[in-house]
Amino acid sequence: MPGQGDSCMMKIIKTERGNSLCLALEGRLDTAAAPELEVTVGSSVNGIKELIIDMQALDYLSSAGLQVLLKAQRIMNKQGILRIIHVNDTIMEMFAASRFKDILHIET
């Protein structure tokens, strides 16, 4: 189907202010997109005290995406805080079902 591939992509918009970094995610954080986010986090958080992941435009979150968020949480536990913001109801259900809502700092 035309355009179907476009709906499967995720876009990451980086905004850095001092020692705070915001990664705004758009689209789907699935098995195909998770490695890109993992690389972005790993290469971007040196010296960062606050990592914000904005999920306002995120449509889908898979278990692969959850694993990347857990890795980001482990990194930030050593140097600051990870905040996940603008979580919609569907993704919050995924956090609840996986019990990640008890591990991650999530703001709806």
Side-chain angles (χ1 to χ4, degrees), residues 4-90:
Q4 185 176 4
D6 294 343
S7 66
C8 296
M9 297 179 68
M10 184 184 68
K11 182 176 179 183
I12 301 171
I13 301 166
K14 290 171 59 171
T15 307
E16 192 168 347
R17 290 190 182 95
N19 60 4
S20 179
L21 173 65
C22 179
L23 301 177
L25 309 181
E26 295 180 6
R28 297 172 55 89
L29 179 47
D30 56 17
T31 304
E36 178 185 358
L37 180 59
E38 186 171 1
V39 167
T40 299
V41 168
S43 65
S44 302
V45 296
N46 191 22
I48 295 297
K49 300 292 183 202
E50 178 186 47
L51 175 60
I52 302 164
I53 298 181
D54 187 338
M55 296 189 165
Q56 184 168 358
L58 194 68
D59 301 321
Y60 175 79
L61 176 65
S62 75
S63 59
L66 286 171
Q67 290 303 317
V68 174
L69 295 175
L70 186 59
K71 288 178 185 178
Q73 178 70 56
R74 288 182 185 141
I75 291 168
M76 292 310 297
N77 280 346
K78 297 175 186 170
Q79 65 191 56
I81 186 170
L82 168 66
R83 293 175 47 226
I84 300 174
I85 63 172
H86 301 135
V87 178
N88 67 38
D89 291 342
T90 303

